[in-house]
Amino acid sequence: MTTTPDARTDELGALTHLALTELRDALHGVSAMHRSVAVGVFGVLGPILGRTVDSPRMVHDAVSEGTYQSVDALLDAAQSVAGSLPTSDRKLSQTARGAVLLGVLNGLIGDELAETRSPLAADMSMRVAGEPISIDTGAIARARHDASGHLVVFLHGLMESELAWAIGGRPTYGRRLSTDIGATEVQIRYNTGRHISENGRDLANLLTDLVLLWPTPVTRMTLIGHSMGGLVIRSACHTAAERGDYWTGLVTETVCLGTPHFGAPLERGVHALSTVLQSSSVTRPISTLLRRRSAGVRDLFHGNLTPADWSDQDPDAWQRPPGADVPLLATARHLFVTATITRNPNHPIGRLVGDGVVLTSSGRGAPTRSRLGLRFSDGLDLGGAHHLTLLNNDEIYQWLLANLRPRQALPPGRSV
């Protein structure tokens, strides 16, 4: 995907421009497949029917090429019209439906959007009611009148936004924790199409500023991630620990909800399919489309957390080596939740498909190979649930509350 000099700078215009560009690219892909199939068909009929096939072939080529050229010209004209329309001040990214749409778009091609500086690319930002909040003391104090010393930071998953935590229309985990233990919810939005390590670095930087500029002294932090969000948290903690960032000492818990610590089978399946389809000229356009999947999606092949896991690597190579062993933050507890679509987590189907996206073994961090430091101390296995259930679930909340509720001080000489 490339930008043009008349590319729009507002979100609505940029989305229109992108949609028309993608339609043209899709048209070119269909046209290439059509030509390849036609060449094959007429190539087979030629030796059988001789020169009698020449006339039908010329008619077919003339009609098909004319049709594709006409549609391409129509889309080109539509792009020109769209580029001349007045800009819109309306922020799609701050509406519920717009956030969902852009979340999916960022997950699919967010790395391309970021590279071309598209206004559709999400930045790593704190959000309140869909609006980005500047990381300065005054802005935070105005947005969060309930600011306390215990921050609970939420990272959504692939193709989601922070609004996903309110799935089902119920109060979010963060809002309920604010009522029950006085913690302050901090919702983060980020571009899930970028490399996990890039988002981890940006999260580490954001948390550094957040702790420094929070309106009241931060005494405790809990980091909660859904799916990819858990990997971003692990990457951020690793980056911050290596740099010696102050905030890592404030983290008392990390919580991973359906996080694919050792990769997701869906990405591996798509990777294999794109490789197979690349071998034929007929299916190569489909392979090209599949290979456009974002860097963030590709990182889910093994659950890569560091730049070394993907730099200088061929992303389309059949064999992809696993990433580096990244230890968990030594000073924090590491909690996790897994789910299976079957009520019994040990049911053969449940073991085979997990929550529909992440296998239980990957969510538990139970590898078939050794990864140093990935030893979770506590966990919850949820039966009869799917991947999105983990975003807002009463059973998970009660388990979370029990683990985050401040513990009573023990009398001198007592220990647990």
Side-chain angles (χ1 to χ4, degrees), residues 297-318:
V297 172
R298 289 176 180 272
D299 279 346
L300 295 179
F301 191 97
H302 283 305
N304 293 335
L305 301 179
T306 71
D309 295 340
W310 54 266
S311 58
D312 299 325
Q313 301 274 354
D314 179 5
D316 295 316
W318 178 257

Side-chain angles (χ1 to χ4, degrees), residues 124 155 190 196 199-200 203 228-237:
M124 178 73 65
L155 272 289
Y190 66 101
I196 290 170
N199 282 321
L203 176 61
M228 177 188 281
L231 297 178
V232 174
I233 287 172
R234 286 188 58 205
S235 179
C237 289

Side-chain angles (χ1 to χ4, degrees), residues 25-202:
D25 289 346
L27 176 70
H28 296 161
V30 172
S31 174
M33 289 182 64
H34 188 165
R35 291 192 193 98
S36 181
V37 171
V39 167
V41 171
F42 287 116
V44 171
L45 294 178
I48 299 174
L49 301 178
R51 299 191 61 181
T52 57
V53 80
D54 290 346
S55 294
R57 179 168 54 191
M58 287 189 292
V59 172
H60 168 271
D61 291 346
V63 171
S64 61
E65 291 301 319
T67 300
Y68 288 126
Q69 290 175 11
S70 297
V71 176
D72 187 66
L74 180 62
L75 292 174
D76 185 54
Q79 279 189 311
S80 299
V81 172
S84 64
L85 293 175
T87 60
S88 170
D89 293 330
R90 186 183 183 189
K91 294 289 186 181
L92 290 177
S93 59
Q94 296 179 20
T95 66
R97 291 182 179 179
V100 171
L101 174 61
L102 297 186
V104 173
L105 188 62
N106 274 255
L108 292 172
I109 57 171
D111 50 345
E112 294 183 22
L113 297 176
E115 185 179 350
T116 57
R117 299 181 181 274
S118 169
L120 302 176
D123 295 324
M124 178 73 65
S125 59
M126 173 183 171
R127 298 266 171 163
V128 174
E131 296 188 15
I133 306 300
S134 298
I135 305 301
D136 68 71
T137 304
I140 296 172
R142 288 189 295 271
R144 297 312 310 254
H145 302 291
D146 60 342
S148 69
H150 180 189
L151 307 187
V152 184
V153 182
F154 290 86
L155 272 289
H156 58 78
L158 177 68
M159 299 187 190
E160 297 171 355
S161 77
E162 80 286 352
L163 301 181
W165 294 103
I167 193 169
R170 294 183 295 272
T172 63
Y173 295 143
R175 185 174 299 179
R176 297 171 72 175
L177 288 171
S178 175
T179 300
D180 291 337
I181 62 173
T184 303
E185 177 184 39
V186 177
Q187 294 186 342
I188 303 297
R189 182 184 299 185
Y190 66 101
N191 181 346
T192 60
R194 299 174 67 220
H195 280 293
I196 290 170
S197 59
E198 294 173 335
N199 282 321
R201 178 199 61 214
D202 289 351

Side-chain angles (χ1 to χ4, degrees), residues 151 153 155 199-212 218-223 232-254 329 331-332:
L151 307 187
V153 182
L155 272 289
N199 282 321
R201 178 199 61 214
D202 289 351
L203 176 61
N205 294 338
L206 184 147
L207 292 178
T208 296
D209 295 338
L210 194 67
V211 168
L212 178 65
V218 178
T219 58
R220 180 183 178 189
M221 291 179 64
T222 300
L223 308 179
V232 174
I233 287 172
R234 286 188 58 205
S235 179
C237 289
H238 175 66
T239 298
E242 287 195 324
R243 299 189 314 203
D245 290 1
Y246 169 74
W247 63 263
T248 59
L250 300 174
V251 177
T252 52
E253 301 90 11
T254 68
L329 194 61
T331 55

